[in-house]
Every structure is written in C-alpha cells, then in structure tokens.
Amino acid sequence: MTTTPFQVTTPRLTIPVGPDDHTSGPAGAPVSMVEYGDFQCPYCAMAHTILQDLLRLRRETVRYTFRHFPLTNVHPYADLAAEVAEAAAVRGAFWPMRDWLFANQSGINPRRLMVGVEHLGLPSAEVGDEVGAHLYLDRVRRDLVGGVRSGVGGTPTFFVNGVRHDGGYSLDDLLEAVDRAAEATTSAPHRGGHTL
C-alpha cells in the first residue's frame, strides 16, 4: 500500500482586488490586505478598531479592501446592513457607513439602519426603496461566494498579499503580518534583465 504525504496549503485569495472593490490606501502599496467581514459580527467590530490603528501606522504600506461575508445564520440583519453599505457606496459614502455600522452594531435592525442613513445625510427614502428591492444583493453575494472559494469560514478573515492570515488579529499580530509581507515584497529578486 502506498501513501502520499499530507500537504497543508494555506488558502489563497481566488478573486483579485479589482475596480469594483471598496479599497483605501495607496495604489502602489507593497501590501494588499483584504478583509471579509460581517457588520453584525462582534469580532469584526473589534478588528475594525484595530485596523484603524494599523492603517494609521502603516499608511504608505497597506492598501486595504473590505468585502462582505454576511453570516446570516447567526446575524439576521447582516445581509441588510451590507446592502445599506452598498447603497451608501453608490453615493460615495461606503467608508463612513462602514464606520457607523460597526460603531452602532449592537442595535442593528431595519429601522436603525435607516437612522444611520439619515445620520450620514443620505436620502433615506431612496435608500430604503433600493434596499427593499434588494438592488445590491447580487453585489453582496458576489463577495460572499468569492470568500467561500478562497477558504473563508468565519469573520473576520484577512488575506495579506493574497494569502490567508491564520494568525490573530491583535494590532501586534497584524503589524507583524504586514511588515513581514512588506519585507518579502521589497526583498524579492528583481525579475528584469541584468545590467552591467
């Protein structure tokens, strides 16, 4: 009987970051960090605060992308919150809505979501109609499916330069992952021709 050695491979991001993603940070940053998150997930809310510190400390190093991964089996309004964030995105307010959702996470329900929309000065009747018609649900589902294909099983899940980060998400853990990825990027051998 022959046996093959068991190989453990770290899951990779299957859908590259593109123009439809919600991204912040310099385009040429050496580190790309992608988060799959859920607006009702308390761990995502904790990570949100940590990420704000990380992005402030590594402003020139990290290009950050947020993707939706609503866990509707445990968070009944996660889909709805993601759709509201997408409605805000169409109006140039994704990041402020994201901040509001995490700051007001404990009371999220359909009525409270409209309070957030009004708080940001967005047209609540329009947003309510769009979300009621699930205009942005396909966009949310696309993120979710991409996450599943990339090996996301819970939230938050981070990918650093395309590789799933399986460590913790304390500030120290994430700084170490980012710095290691930045160092690997800058010390990678140049693939161009040789000069004399």
Side-chain angles (χ1 to χ4, degrees):
M1 178 169 115
T2 341
T3 59
T4 54
F6 181 68
Q7 288 188 322
V8 177
T9 57
T10 305
R12 297 189 66 83
L13 193 66
T14 58
I15 298 175
V17 174
D20 291 342
D21 276 304
H22 303 297
T23 303
S24 71
V31 178
S32 169
M33 175 180 273
V34 176
E35 176 188 3
Y36 281 91
D38 172 327
F39 290 120
Q40 276 198 290
C41 167
Y43 303 106
C44 291
M46 283 190 284
H48 175 68
T49 305
I50 293 163
L51 280 169
Q52 288 176 317
D53 289 340
L54 173 78
L55 297 175
R56 182 178 44 78
L57 292 168
R58 297 294 185 269
R59 191 181 319 267
E60 299 304 316
T61 307
V62 179
R63 187 156 172 83
Y64 168 76
T65 302
F66 182 88
R67 288 180 174 170
H68 304 287
F69 201 82
L71 300 169
T72 53
N73 56 330
V74 286
H75 303 135
Y77 302 120
D79 260 347
L80 206 56
E83 289 182 73
V84 167
E86 287 303 317
V90 167
R91 293 161 174 88
F94 175 80
W95 298 108
M97 179 55 75
R98 173 178 164 269
D99 292 345
W100 187 92
L101 287 166
F102 281 129
N104 295 276
Q105 174 182 83
S106 62
I108 286 183
N109 61 43
R111 185 180 176 98
R112 186 90 174 112
L113 288 169
M114 288 303 109
V115 169
V117 168
E118 289 169 3
H119 174 77
L120 295 180
L122 303 176
S124 58
E126 277 179 36
V127 170
D129 288 347
E130 291 169 6
V131 171
H134 298 295
L135 209 58
Y136 307 105
L137 190 57
D138 283 350
R139 169 71 176 78
V140 173
R141 290 278 183 254
R142 189 176 72 223
D143 278 0
L144 182 72
V145 169
V148 170
R149 288 182 182 156
S150 298
V152 175
T155 55
T157 295
F158 299 98
F159 289 83
V160 178
N161 282 355
V163 178
R164 189 175 72 192
H165 169 70
D166 288 333
Y169 54 88
S170 70
L171 181 58
D172 287 344
D173 290 333
L174 291 177
L175 280 170
E176 183 184 340
V178 162
D179 290 346
R180 196 169 46 240
E183 188 178 311
T185 302
T186 56
S187 65
H190 180 64
R191 296 185 187 276
H194 296 292
T195 55
L196 298 174

